[in-house]
Amino acid sequence: MNEIDKQVKPTFLRSLRFRIMLILVIMGFMPCLLATNVVIGRYRSRAIQLRTMNVRNQGDILCNLLMSEDYLDNLDSAVINGELTLISNIYNGRVMIVDGDYRVVRDTYDLDTGRTSVSKEVISAMSGGGAETQYDAINDYILMTFPLHDEDTSDVNGVMLISVSTTEIEQMAGILENWGMFVTGMVTLIVLVAGYFLAGLLVRPFLTVTRAIEDVTDGYADDAISVPDYSETVQIIDAFNRMLGRIRTMDQSRQEFVSNVSHELKTPLASMKVLADSLNSQDDLPIEYYKEFMQDITGEIDRENKIISDLLSMVRMDRKADSMKIEECDIGGMLETIVKRLKPIAAERRISISLSAPQTVRANVDDGKLSLAFSNLIENAVKYNHDDGWVRVTLSTDRKYFYVYVEDGGPGIPADQIEHIFERFYRGDKSHSTAIEGTGLGLAIARQAILLHHGVIKVNSREGQGTTFQVRIPFINAEN
Ligand SMILES: Nc1ncnc2c1ncn2[C@@H]1O[C@H](COP(=O)(O)OP(=O)(O)O)[C@@H](O)[C@H]1O
Ligand SMILES: [Mg+2]
C-alpha cells in the first residue's frame, strides 16, 4: 500500500481528466491562433500590393500627362494641378515634383516647395535608377518614385514622388486581429467547458471501477464485480476478479487447513480421553490393564507428536526460499543414511531396501529439507508394501540434473487417488489408512521441499504392481 501511495499523489493536475482537457484546449486554441495570423498576414500583403498597383497606374498616367503638358516649364497648368490634388486626396498621400536642379517645384502638402531635395530616392531616380517602390512598414507608408523623361532626348529631367499612407490597412488588420483574438478566446472557453464535461464522461468508468473495488475491499460486495463501460475497464475488472478469485481460494484453503489441523490434533486427544476415562470409571482393575491402556496412551501421544512435528516441518517449508540453507552435499551419502535408518523397520516385515548410486553426486542443496523429502518417499515405500516386499532407491545424473527414483513392489495407488496424494492431510483409502499410521502430510512436505529446489516430482503407479516416485533436481541451486 505504502509503495503505491508514494508513487502517485492524486492531484487534479495529475488526473486523466485534466490531461484530456489540456489536449482538447490545445487542439482548439492552436488552429484558431494560426488561422488568425495567416489570414491577417495575407490580408495585409494583398492590400498593400493592390494599393501599390493602383497608385503606380495613376502615377504613370500622371507622368505621361506631366511630360506631354511640359509641366516643369509650365507649373501653372490648371489641369495637372487639379489631377495632383485629386490623387493626393484619394490616396491620402503627398505628391512632390522635383526638377532637374533638385528643387522641389510642387508639393501637395506645400511644406517643401522651393527647397532642394537630395534624398537618396531622388538621386537614384535622377541618375537613371528607374521607377521604384518602397514600403515602410514601421511608419506605415508606401513611397514611389517616377523619373520624368524628356520627350525628345529621354533624359531624366525631373522626379515625381508619391507617398501614400497605409494606416487604414493597418487599422483594418488591427480590427481583424481583435476579432481573431475574440474568436480564439471564445473557442478556447467553449472547448474548456465542453472538455471538462467530456473528460469527466471519459474518466467516469474509472471512478466506477474504483468504487466497485472499494466496495469489495470494505466488504459491501461479495461477488465478482462488473463495469462493462469500455473494453479497458472490462480488462481491469477481469484482472481484479481473477486476483479476487485467487485470494478467495487462498483464504478457503487456509480455512480448510486450520480445520484439518484441529481435527487431526483432536483425534489422538479423543482416543487418550476415552482410554483414560475407561480406566477411571472402573475400580480394582488388574495392573495389566493399566499397563496396556498406558501403552495405548503413549502410542497416541507419539502420534500427536508426529503430527505436530510434521506440521512444523511444513510451516518451515512454506517460509519459501529465504530460509534455505544451501550447501554442497553428497546426495548418495544422504540417501545411504536414510536407507540405513529405515532398514531395521523394514526388516521387521522382511522388506529389502537396495540403494544403487553408481557415482558420487555432489550438489548445492538444503540438506535438512531434501533429506526430509527423500526419507518421506522411502518411508512410504516401506509402509505401503507387502511383507517380504522390496524397495529400490536409485540415484543417477546427467549434466544438468540429478534424479532419484524410489520404487516399490507394493499394492500401488488407485488411479482416482493419485491426483490427491500430494494434498495436505490426504491419506489413501480408509481401510488401510486406519491400519497404517500416518498424518497425510509426508508427500505434501516432500513436494514442497523439492519445489524449493526448483525440482519436479512425478509418480507412476499401477494397482497391484507397485509405485515409482521420480524426483529431478537441477544442480544450479546455489542462488535462491
Ligand atoms: N509408495 C506408496 N505406495 C502406495 N501408496 C502410497 C505410497 N506413497 C504414498 N501413498 C499414498 O499416499 C497417501 C499420502 O501419503 P503421505 O502424504 O506420505 O501421507 P501418510 O504416509 O502419512 O499417509 C498415503 O496415505 C497413501 O495412501
Ligand atoms: Mg508418508
Side-chain angles (χ1 to χ4, degrees):
M1 267 315 256
N2 285 340
E3 284 292 310
I4 294 167
D5 284 348
K6 251 181 259 163
Q7 275 168 18
V8 182
K9 271 202 197 117
T11 59
F12 183 66
L13 291 188
R14 281 180 172 279
S15 70
L16 192 58
R17 189 171 193 172
F18 176 71
R19 301 281 160 96
I20 294 174
M21 273 170 64
L22 198 69
I23 292 169
L24 288 178
V25 166
I26 290 173
M27 274 166 59
F29 175 77
M30 286 310 215
C32 279
L33 205 66
L34 208 71
T36 308
N37 279 332
V38 168
V39 166
I40 291 169
R42 288 211 133 201
Y43 162 76
R44 186 181 280 128
S45 65
R46 185 79 189 125
I48 286 166
Q49 202 182 3
L50 272 177
R51 172 71 44 102
T52 313
M53 257 164 59
N54 285 342
V55 177
R56 179 147 299 278
N57 281 342
Q58 295 292 328
D60 282 342
I61 294 168
L62 197 57
C63 262
N64 290 336
L65 203 60
L66 285 175
M67 280 175 300
S68 64
E69 292 281 316
D70 224 356
Y71 182 72
L72 287 175
D73 296 331
N74 178 20
L75 292 169
D76 297 330
S77 165
V79 183
I80 292 180
N81 282 341
E83 273 305 312
L84 289 174
T85 318
L86 195 66
I87 285 197
S88 90
N89 282 347
I90 292 176
Y91 295 110
N92 186 20
R94 178 182 184 181
V95 183
M96 282 203 294
I97 296 171
V98 182
D99 71 5
D101 301 329
Y102 297 90
R103 210 164 51 85
V104 178
V105 291
R106 182 83 172 84
D107 175 2
T108 52
Y109 277 18
D110 260 339
L111 295 172
D112 292 334
T113 321
R115 293 193 189 157
T116 306
S117 169
V118 284
S119 66
K120 67 176 190 304
E121 292 84 11
V122 174
I123 294 168
S124 151
M126 287 292 200
S127 49
E132 268 178 38
T133 305
Q134 279 168 30
Y135 171 51
D136 186 335
I138 297 164
N139 299 309
D140 291 343
Y141 70 90
I142 307 169
L143 177 65
M144 280 177 254
T145 53
F146 299 82
L148 301 173
H149 297 277
D150 187 286
E151 286 219 294
D152 307 320
T153 62
S154 65
D155 285 344
V156 181
N157 51 13
V159 185
M160 179 172 73
L161 297 150
I162 304 181
S163 62
V164 290
S165 159
T166 53
T167 316
E168 75 205 83
I169 294 175
E170 285 309 322
Q171 275 168 355
M172 193 60 202
I175 291 170
L176 285 178
E177 215 160 52
N178 285 345
W179 262 103
M181 285 310 209
F182 176 71
V183 170
T184 306
M186 285 310 280
V187 167
T188 307
L189 199 71
I190 291 169
V191 168
L192 202 69
V193 173
Y196 181 78
F197 288 107
L198 184 69
L201 208 68
L202 287 176
V203 300
R204 190 164 345 144
F206 290 101
L207 302 180
T208 321
V209 168
T210 312
R211 216 167 303 127
I213 293 177
E214 272 168 3
D215 280 355
V216 171
T217 314
D218 298 342
Y220 293 124
D222 276 338
D223 288 332
I225 52 177
S226 128
V227 181
D229 299 22
Y230 298 105
S231 51
E232 285 85 352
T233 57
V234 171
Q235 278 170 15
I236 297 176
I237 290 299
D238 271 358
F240 176 77
N241 282 338
R242 275 200 299 277
M243 189 190 77
L244 202 64
R246 273 201 62 180
I247 293 175
R248 287 201 177 119
T249 315
M250 275 161 63
D251 194 47
Q252 207 175 333
S253 79
R254 187 185 56 85
Q255 279 175 7
E256 257 169 41
F257 180 71
V258 170
S259 83
N260 278 339
V261 168
S262 325
H263 176 78
E264 294 295 323
L265 290 176
K266 276 180 86 171
T267 315
L269 282 179
S271 309
M272 284 186 260
K273 172 123 172 83
V274 170
L275 290 166
D277 277 351
S278 58
L279 283 185
N280 278 335
S281 61
Q282 293 168 59
D283 298 325
D284 305 326
L285 279 174
I287 189 85
E288 289 76 37
Y289 273 91
Y290 278 94
K291 276 196 172 150
E292 198 189 320
F293 275 47
M294 277 304 170
Q295 257 165 17
D296 288 350
I297 289 177
T298 314
E300 292 299 332
I301 290 174
D302 287 344
R303 190 165 137 74
E304 185 90 47
N305 238 336
K306 171 79 176 127
I307 295 173
I308 290 171
S309 62
D310 275 4
L311 275 172
L312 286 177
S313 319
M314 207 171 60
V315 170
R316 240 172 270 139
M317 296 287 177
D318 273 352
R319 254 191 253 137
K320 294 283 155 57
D322 44 303
S323 64
M324 295 279 275
K325 281 197 218 83
I326 300 283
E327 55 197 1
E328 202 184 271
C329 289
D330 171 14
I331 307 296
M334 178 197 289
L335 292 172
E336 212 176 296
T337 316
I338 297 166
V339 168
K340 210 180 269 172
R341 184 166 56 78
L342 290 173
K343 261 190 175 152
I345 302 165
E348 284 171 15
R349 290 162 57 211
R350 295 173 306 282
I351 297 169
S352 68
I353 312 182
S354 69
L355 168 66
S356 86
Q359 75 243 61
T360 333
V361 179
R362 306 192 69 83
N364 292 317
V365 294
D366 182 322
D367 186 28
K369 291 195 168 82
L370 210 57
S371 290
L372 195 59
F374 292 139
S375 76
N376 277 335
L377 294 180
I378 301 169
E379 214 177 271
N380 279 351
V382 175
K383 265 202 306 193
Y384 306 105
N385 213 327
H386 309 294
D387 290 353
D388 303 302
W390 56 267
V391 173
R392 198 158 52 218
V393 182
T394 318
L395 171 66
S396 68
T397 76
D398 57 25
R399 276 194 306 160
K400 280 164 95 179
Y401 304 100
F402 65 88
Y403 305 83
V404 175
Y405 299 94
V406 180
E407 289 172 80
D408 65 65
I413 307 168
D416 59 321
Q417 294 181 16
I418 285 203
E419 56 177 322
H420 298 295
I421 57 171
F422 292 104
E423 291 168 12
R424 294 160 169 182
F425 295 114
Y426 180 83
R427 305 212 60 211
D429 71 51
K430 290 298 162 213
S431 58
H432 85 224
S433 62
T434 42
I436 303 166
E437 285 193 355
T439 60
L441 290 172
L443 286 179
I445 293 170
R447 197 177 84 104
Q448 188 62 26
I450 289 158
L451 290 183
L452 281 176
H453 287 85
H454 307 289
V456 183
I457 179 166
K458 281 187 199 159
V459 58
N460 257 320
S461 185
R462 208 171 278 167
E463 251 190 295
Q465 292 187 11
T467 307
T468 308
F469 282 91
Q470 309 172 17
V471 178
R472 190 192 75 188
I473 290 176
F475 282 111
I476 318 129
N477 251 315
E479 317 89 53
N480 68 60

